[in-house]
């Protein structure tokens, strides 16, 4: 199923294998389907342009794509923050977006995930949704594997508490 580490797979094979996972990761980070779709497209466009520099000995394709996706999301959040500041200084009201559903999750779990911080959702997405190991997730996040494990444990504990509260 996965691509062998050290082998040079085709970009098409990588894109096909990881497209849905990257989209779900970005959906969880952004909580907006349209933005997640746009960022997924940006991610694979950037990945295609830099494909010749991808070295499978340095990282797994999924880790490499997650790193690109995370950078695209962070760029988006920074530009949205600047846009938001401009709009609020001129207009005062900023429209809210619809909360997307990840599908197949219980209502208490959906609600609990929406209440987590972006950082907590991100570590959960990388470790649980995308099934990256601790070292790969830490690399994407730019933190140590120990910090990644700690962040994951805290996010899982908080999620569990929120699900329990919403299930009542």
């Amino acid at each position: 199923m996965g691509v062998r580490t050290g082998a040079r797979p085709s970009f098409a094979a990588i894109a096909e294998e990881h497209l849905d996972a990257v989209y779900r990761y970005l959906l969880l980070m952004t909580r907006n389907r349209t933005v997640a779709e746009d960022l997924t497209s940006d991610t694979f466009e950037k990945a295609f342009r830099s494909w010749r520099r991808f070295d499978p000995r340095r990282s797994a394709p999924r880790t490499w794509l997650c790193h690109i996706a995370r950078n695209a999301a962070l760029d988006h959040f920074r530009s949205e923050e600047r846009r938001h500041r401009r709009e609020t200084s001129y207009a005062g009201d900023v429209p809210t977006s619809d909360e997307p559903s990840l599908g197949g999750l219980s209502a208490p779990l959906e609600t609990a995930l929406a209440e987590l911080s972006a950082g907590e959702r991100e570590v959960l997405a990388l470790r649980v949704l995308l099934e990256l190991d601790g070292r790969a997730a830490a690399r994407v996040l730019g933190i140590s594997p120990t910090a990644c494990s700690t962040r994951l444990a805290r996010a899982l504990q908080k999620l569990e508490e929120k699900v329990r509260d919403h299930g009542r």
Side-chain angles (χ1 to χ4, degrees):
M1 167 125 117
V3 177
R4 288 186 339 259
T5 304
R8 180 84 178 162
S10 72
F11 181 78
I14 294 301
E16 184 177 339
E17 181 176 354
H18 300 289
L19 179 66
D20 290 339
V22 168
Y23 169 74
R24 288 191 316 268
Y25 167 63
L26 289 166
L27 179 61
L28 196 62
M29 282 184 67
T30 63
R31 305 293 297 160
N32 183 301
R33 274 192 186 86
T34 304
V35 171
E37 289 168 1
D38 291 346
L39 291 176
T40 300
S41 175
D42 290 349
T43 296
F44 282 92
E45 180 182 335
K46 288 174 185 173
F48 180 73
R49 280 191 268 127
S50 62
W51 179 242
R52 62 178 140 51
R53 292 189 313 263
F54 170 68
D55 183 355
R57 295 170 298 189
R58 291 186 55 204
S59 74
R62 183 173 277 200
T63 305
W64 178 69
L65 288 169
C66 285
H67 189 75
I68 295 169
R70 183 173 196 266
N71 287 337
L74 292 175
D75 289 345
H76 166 76
F77 291 139
R78 283 190 284 269
S79 69
E80 281 298 298
E81 185 177 324
R82 286 190 300 271
R83 182 188 63 78
H84 178 74
R85 281 195 307 262
R86 278 193 314 270
E87 285 181 358
T88 54
S89 69
Y90 294 113
D93 290 325
V94 177
T96 59
S97 63
D98 293 333
E99 288 290 318
S101 169
L102 293 172
L105 301 179
S106 68
L109 183 56
E110 283 272 349
T111 303
L113 279 168
E115 292 175 359
L116 295 179
S117 71
E120 291 163 338
R121 285 193 313 269
E122 182 177 28
V123 74
L124 286 170
L126 291 170
R127 292 298 315 275
V128 178
L129 183 69
L130 297 180
E131 300 175 348
L132 292 183
D133 64 30
R135 178 167 278 150
R139 175 184 261 169
V140 170
L141 294 170
I143 60 177
S144 72
T146 303
C148 184
S149 293
T150 302
R151 193 178 289 182
L152 175 64
R154 288 182 182 148
L156 286 169
Q157 181 179 6
K158 190 172 176 181
L159 182 64
E160 183 180 352
E161 290 167 3
K162 288 185 176 295
V163 167
R164 202 175 323 121
D165 291 345
H166 290 295
R168 291 182 188 156

